[in-house]
Amino acid sequence: MNLHEFQAKELLFKNDVQIQKGYMVSNLDKVEKVANKLSSETGTEFFVVKAQIHAGGRGKGGGVKVAKSLTELKDYSSSILGMMLKTPQTPKEGKLVSKILIAEDVYYPGESENQEFYISLLLNRSTSKIMIMYSTEGGVDIESVAEKTPNLIFYEEVDPSLGLMPNQARKVAFNLGLHGTAYKNMIKFISSLYLAYVNCDASLLEINPVLKTSDNKIIAVDAKMVLDDNSLFRHKEYKDLRDESEENPVETQARAVGLNYVDLDGNIGCMVNGAGLAMATMDLIKQSGGEPANFLDVGGTADADRVEVAFNLILQDPRVKAVLVNIFGGIVRCDRVANGIVQAYKNIKDKIKVPIIVRLEGTNAEEAKDIIDNSGLKIFSASSFFNVTEIIKEVLS
Ligand code: GDP
Ligand code: MN
């Protein structure tokens, strides 16, 4: 689950990470009140207005503006709130900005000793460790740093059973070229950041930029945080953080009925039971010259209702040229699944404009094939993987 910057910063603040202080606003009437509050809390006279959308690169697209007076703040707020913000990470038409973050300006204008760093934490699945990636080149997009000057990116792997060791925190601060108070503050910053990552069950935490101010404070100016969906049951409070207007609507519908659906870019929709078989099926589609349009695990109960919902989800994607149903009948019998498919097909017949390929293997597979073949519906029943490949090739040719 992706978070907005203001939500990520709230979680960071609760975990003792120094942040640029600010408040989210979705209504222009609140701008002045928030500005006064920020001024009395931090003494700031300058503010920054930041569009809150689930995409980075907002600064370049005009979604981040520094205001040097209340009048400027109101102007920028009214131009950013409600705009269609286009960045390299949004769809072509941009994304509607319905929330802004108004924050204190932490850059102390006129001072040239501000320094911007990059720090991110993520799970390295191949080593089962938490990787801290950091660089002196913050504020710019890290992909281009990785491409042009990979030597300026450092990596530190943390064993989660030990936690971040003091020498590792010191190494980060040292490699960023810090000394004195800034060095000490960076050690505290990185230690709190690590704990925030662990405590929040994040799968990604990226701070770009981390700012060193001229008076040696270390502050998170931006925050991108992705929470691990598998941990949501442990954090009931996260329910309110989900912003469905930012999510893929088909994925939202699937979640509502307990289906595991991930939208992909391809042309063959697939409906499978079990994540392992789903992966194998996606490989099979690729080998047959297609590209999977989605990942969809219908789980153990492939009954008519779930199959119908699943068909509906898949068929919403205009890129889908065929749907492949590949179900292994272990606990669930194939004939029951076949009946479910036939029933679901009949219920939504008008919506089905593409070929449906069904492969049912396992308990009562023969009966299942008969049910499909005798249904009088336009369903290709495939008896083997080879058969599936042939049919997909034919559909795509
Ligand atoms: P992004 O473009 O979506 O990554 O948004 P960021 O939050 O990283 O902001 C973009 C840039 O705006 C940062 O790299 C900073 O250089 C600048 N910026 C952010 N906050 C402030 C601020 O308080 N004062 C000033 N002067 N610049 C800021
Ligand atoms: Mn940023």
Side-chain angles (χ1 to χ4, degrees), residues 143-176:
E143 286 80 8
S144 65
V145 180
E147 206 175 288
K148 290 177 199 138
T149 48
N151 56 312
L152 294 178
I153 301 182
F154 302 97
Y155 301 89
E156 188 67 31
E157 293 227 322
V158 182
D159 183 337
S161 61
L162 299 174
L164 180 73
M165 302 304 270
N167 69 308
Q168 293 183 301
R170 289 196 295 269
K171 191 166 144 200
V172 171
F174 178 80
N175 281 337
L176 291 175

Side-chain angles (χ1 to χ4, degrees), residues 66-252:
V66 180
K68 307 213 158 151
S69 67
L70 186 59
T71 322
E72 257 185 31
L73 176 64
K74 285 182 176 168
D75 283 352
Y76 290 142
S77 299
S78 75
S79 63
I80 293 177
L81 198 60
M83 83 187 284
M84 286 299 284
L85 179 55
K86 292 179 198 155
T87 85
Q89 294 180 23
T90 60
K92 272 199 302 291
E93 67 278 14
K95 268 189 159 183
L96 178 69
V97 181
S98 55
K99 301 179 190 74
I100 52 175
L101 175 64
I102 295 178
E104 58 171 326
D105 174 21
V106 282
Y107 279 65
Y108 309 143
E111 310 267 0
S112 57
E113 291 148 59
N114 287 325
Q115 234 182 316
E116 291 181 320
F117 304 119
Y118 172 96
I119 302 181
S120 68
L121 284 85
L122 68 164
L123 178 67
N124 182 347
R125 289 176 197 278
S126 58
T127 59
S128 305
K129 289 187 175 156
I130 295 168
M131 185 161 78
I132 303 177
M133 205 174 131
Y134 60 106
S135 175
T136 49
E137 306 305 292
V140 285
D141 83 280
I142 197 69
E143 286 80 8
S144 65
V145 180
E147 206 175 288
K148 290 177 199 138
T149 48
N151 56 312
L152 294 178
I153 301 182
F154 302 97
Y155 301 89
E156 188 67 31
E157 293 227 322
V158 182
D159 183 337
S161 61
L162 299 174
L164 180 73
M165 302 304 270
N167 69 308
Q168 293 183 301
R170 289 196 295 269
K171 191 166 144 200
V172 171
F174 178 80
N175 281 337
L176 291 175
L178 299 172
H179 38 79
T181 313
Y183 175 84
K184 279 189 204 138
N185 285 338
M186 179 55 84
I187 289 173
K188 187 170 173 300
F189 184 87
I190 192 75
S191 306
S192 305
L193 200 65
Y194 177 82
L195 287 178
Y197 178 89
V198 174
N199 292 341
C200 295
D201 281 316
S203 57
L204 172 76
L205 178 53
E206 183 184 61
I207 313 294
N208 186 26
V210 174
L211 178 73
K212 181 193 88 70
T213 63
S214 50
D215 56 354
N216 294 316
K217 289 198 200 99
I218 304 291
I219 302 175
V221 169
D222 191 7
K224 174 177 171 150
M225 195 168 194
V226 181
L227 300 173
D228 183 350
D229 282 333
N230 294 310
S231 77
L232 298 183
F233 75 99
R234 280 208 283 243
H235 304 270
K236 300 284 182 257
E237 73 281 10
Y238 286 176
K239 256 214 335 272
D240 306 329
L241 298 179
R242 190 179 287 284
D243 185 344
E244 290 191 339
S245 70
E246 289 278 354
E247 299 191 335
N248 181 311
V250 182
E251 290 183 11
T252 307

